[in-house]
Each structure stands twice: as structure tokens, then as C-alpha cells.
Amino acid sequence: MVRLGINARERRRMHDLNDALDELRAVIPYAHGPSVRKLSKIATLLLAKNYILMQASISVRHQIQHCLIVHVNRSWFYLQRLTKISLPFSLR
């Protein structure tokens, strides 16, 4: 009787894990369709990890670019005020 309860809990845990992996597969970019094999558990986790790292890298790159643009615009503003030179192009 105890063993049946333990087995039922394990079965429920595995169903919950598989449901969570299915939800993860639904949001990470990879080919979906009836002719495409479902990703394995480990492949799903690795793809999700790499996708998150790529998104973080893009976010950091955009933050750096924004900071550089702000710095260049401020520098041009102060230079323009000092020398009365106008910016030949827009950095926005």
C-alpha cells in the first residue's frame, strides 16, 4: 500500500516535469511541426540555456551601444557649445 502511494507521487512528479518541458519547448525557438521530432529533455534544457545566454548577450550589447551613443551625443553637444560646430549626422 505504501509503495502504491510512492509510485503515484513519482508518476505525478514525472507528469509535472514533462508538462513543464512541453511548455518550455513551446516558447524556445526551434522547428515545430508534425514531421519534426520532439526535442529530448536534455536537448530542450540545453537549447533553452543557450537561448537565454544569447538573449542576455544581445541585451548587454544594446545597453553598451546605448551608453556609447549617449556619451558621444553629450561629447558632441559640449564640443558644439565650445566651438560652434554642428553635428554632421544624427546618432539617434
Side-chain angles (χ1 to χ4, degrees), residues 38 57 61-62:
K38 185 168 95 172
S57 171
R61 218 173 315 139
H62 283 141

mmCIF file of all heavy atoms in Angstrom, residues 38 57 61-62:
data_model
loop_
_atom_site.group_PDB
_atom_site.id
_atom_site.type_symbol
_atom_site.label_atom_id
_atom_site.label_comp_id
_atom_site.label_asym_id
_atom_site.label_seq_id
_atom_site.Cartn_x
_atom_site.Cartn_y
_atom_site.Cartn_z
ATOM 1 N N LYS A 38 10.215 15.549 -31.510
ATOM 2 C CA LYS A 38 10.196 16.321 -30.271
ATOM 3 C C LYS A 38 11.600 16.287 -29.665
ATOM 4 O O LYS A 38 12.267 15.261 -29.671
ATOM 5 C CB LYS A 38 9.184 15.698 -29.309
ATOM 6 C CG LYS A 38 8.991 16.474 -28.031
ATOM 7 C CD LYS A 38 7.784 15.962 -27.263
ATOM 8 C CE LYS A 38 8.236 14.952 -26.240
ATOM 9 N NZ LYS A 38 7.158 14.550 -25.337
ATOM 10 N N SER A 57 23.213 38.246 -23.917
ATOM 11 C CA SER A 57 24.314 38.865 -24.647
ATOM 12 C C SER A 57 23.815 40.018 -25.512
ATOM 13 O O SER A 57 24.429 41.081 -25.560
ATOM 14 C CB SER A 57 25.009 37.814 -25.513
ATOM 15 O OG SER A 57 25.936 38.412 -26.371
ATOM 16 N N ARG A 61 24.770 43.962 -25.110
ATOM 17 C CA ARG A 61 25.303 44.687 -26.256
ATOM 18 C C ARG A 61 24.493 45.956 -26.526
ATOM 19 O O ARG A 61 25.053 47.029 -26.779
ATOM 20 C CB ARG A 61 25.296 43.782 -27.490
ATOM 21 C CG ARG A 61 26.486 43.982 -28.358
ATOM 22 C CD ARG A 61 26.598 43.001 -29.488
ATOM 23 N NE ARG A 61 26.346 41.641 -29.055
ATOM 24 C CZ ARG A 61 25.635 40.755 -29.749
ATOM 25 N NH1 ARG A 61 25.139 41.056 -30.897
ATOM 26 N NH2 ARG A 61 25.435 39.542 -29.291
ATOM 27 N N HIS A 62 23.156 45.855 -26.441
ATOM 28 C CA HIS A 62 22.310 47.032 -26.663
ATOM 29 C C HIS A 62 22.520 48.081 -25.576
ATOM 30 O O HIS A 62 22.531 49.277 -25.864
ATOM 31 C CB HIS A 62 20.841 46.630 -26.735
ATOM 32 C CG HIS A 62 20.474 46.009 -28.039
ATOM 33 N ND1 HIS A 62 19.625 44.954 -28.137
ATOM 34 C CD2 HIS A 62 20.855 46.280 -29.302
ATOM 35 C CE1 HIS A 62 19.486 44.598 -29.396
ATOM 36 N NE2 HIS A 62 20.237 45.384 -30.124
#
